[in-house]
């Protein structure tokens, strides 16, 4: 019954100075890994969200779908993509207007008579 009061810990029992330091280091490493995983998960979830399309070309809206004016209505239109590239500075104003005129021309990819989806 002599060891009852010490619960098994007496002189020479239990973790020493290096054991406590090692446990503290391992605990901090585990905490750092958990924080990094949480940040990575948050970034992945925030990047994978796609904006909901709005407007006449949106899926489910009048004019959307395969027979609508904007094809299937999934995602942004070519003109919206071009405007986004111009806004990001990937193309200059001259190239933007040239490509926009090409898209809107009767024989262009976005104009009537052009080859769009489903044609």
């Amino acid at each position: 019954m002599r060891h009852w009061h010490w619960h098994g810990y007496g002189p020479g029992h239990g973790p020493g100075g290096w054991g406590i330091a090692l446990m503290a280091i391992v605990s901090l490493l585990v905490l750092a890994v958990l924080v990094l995983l949480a940040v990575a998960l948050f970034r992945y979830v925030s990047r994978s969200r796609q904006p909901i399309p709005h407007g006449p070309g949106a899926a489910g809206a009048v004019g959307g779908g395969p027979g609508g004016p904007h094809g299937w209505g999934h995602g942004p239109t070519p003109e919206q993509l071009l405007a986004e590239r111009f806004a990001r500075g990937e193309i200059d104003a001259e190239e933007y207007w040239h490509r926009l005129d090409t898209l809107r021309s009767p024989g262009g990819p976005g104009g009537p008579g052009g080859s769009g989806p489903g044609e």
Side-chain angles (χ1 to χ4, degrees), residues 1-117:
M1 287 265 201
R2 193 171 99 185
H3 295 286
W4 179 260
H5 297 288
W6 288 96
H7 302 287
Y9 294 103
H13 296 305
W18 287 108
I20 292 173
L22 183 63
M23 284 192 303
I25 291 170
V26 168
S27 297
L28 289 175
L29 287 175
V30 168
L31 182 63
V33 167
L34 289 175
V35 168
L36 289 174
L37 285 174
V39 168
L41 180 65
F42 177 76
R43 285 186 171 184
Y44 174 76
V45 168
S46 65
R47 285 184 186 169
S48 66
R49 290 185 182 170
Q50 296 294 325
I52 299 172
H54 296 288
V62 176
H70 298 287
W72 281 93
H74 294 287
T77 64
E79 291 181 11
Q80 290 170 337
L81 290 174
L82 185 62
E84 288 174 7
R85 288 187 62 197
F86 178 61
R88 286 192 299 262
E90 294 177 11
I91 57 175
D92 59 3
E94 181 180 341
E95 186 173 356
Y96 170 76
W97 289 111
H98 173 72
R99 290 179 182 236
L100 187 63
D101 288 340
T102 303
L103 282 173
R104 291 181 176 172
S105 68
S115 58

